[in-house]
Amino acid sequence: MSTSKPEDQRYLARAVALSREHMEGGEGGPFGAVIVRDGTILAEGWNQVTSAKDPTAHAEVTAIRRACQAVGDFSLEGATLYTSCEPCPMCLASAYWARVSRIVYANTRQDAAEIGFDDSLIYDEISKPISERLIPMDHLPSLEAKAVFDAWADKDDKIAY
């Protein structure tokens, strides 16, 4: 069921324009994102993985970071993330953590895979048991680590997120 809104094309076109502009400028891959709430653009982002030497500097993550700074909060509840491509697992998780209310995207993850940005490995890895993942993971319990968690649970002035 589509919940498309009249302004969706305009904001999505801006995300696509950012993807082209910054890709052609040599800043990173062909990805752009815009975050909008209540008819106002909170932030824009584009892929900066290669220019910033930061594998987490995807368009969506960059836009989320900027939007949160702009509004002074870690929550983007009520906002829509417009992105030139279906978010990768990291960007999708970031949108959930930021409490983005809606995502509108242009290209699909299959489109991205066709040009060398294949996220299927990560999607597949997430559902595997830890012991079967490509990156070895060792669980090494720590009494001090548990004590920190216990202290958080008991902390009266914590800001839950």
Side-chain angles (χ1 to χ4, degrees):
M1 179 176 91
S2 175
T3 58
S4 181
K5 299 177 181 180
E7 64 270 26
D8 287 347
Q9 286 296 333
R10 178 169 41 110
Y11 294 126
L12 189 58
R14 178 63 185 149
V16 172
L18 288 166
S19 72
R20 178 178 293 280
E21 175 186 344
H22 293 282
M23 173 202 63
E24 289 178 349
E27 294 179 61
F31 305 97
V34 176
I35 298 178
V36 178
R37 183 164 60 192
D38 299 326
T40 300
I41 293 177
L42 301 179
E44 298 178 337
W46 47 90
N47 185 283
Q48 298 176 43
V49 169
T50 57
S51 59
K53 313 286 188 277
D54 179 355
T56 69
H58 289 202
E60 298 90 339
V61 171
T62 302
I64 288 168
R65 289 174 180 160
R66 290 177 177 161
C68 288
Q69 288 296 310
V71 301
D73 197 354
F74 57 82
S75 175
L76 296 175
E77 190 171 340
T80 299
L81 168 62
Y82 294 91
T83 179
S84 62
C85 186
E86 181 180 353
C88 75
M90 176 184 68
C91 293
L92 182 60
S94 298
Y96 275 99
W97 278 112
R99 292 164 178 75
V100 167
S101 295
R102 184 168 169 253
I103 299 171
V104 178
Y105 63 94
N107 294 318
T108 66
R109 68 172 102 158
Q110 292 79 17
D111 296 329
E114 289 174 10
I115 63 164
F117 296 95
D118 190 352
D119 298 325
S120 63
L121 170 75
I122 300 168
Y123 280 106
D124 293 344
E125 284 288 293
I126 290 170
S127 64
K128 288 181 182 177
I130 290 173
S131 63
E132 295 177 19
R133 292 183 182 163
L134 292 175
I135 297 176
M137 294 178 63
D138 296 317
H139 177 216
L140 187 59
S142 162
L143 292 176
E144 181 57 23
K146 179 67 169 109
V148 173
F149 271 24
D150 292 342
W152 172 260
D154 294 338
K155 188 172 171 43
D156 292 330
D157 63 344
K158 69 181 167 227
I159 299 173
Y161 62 96

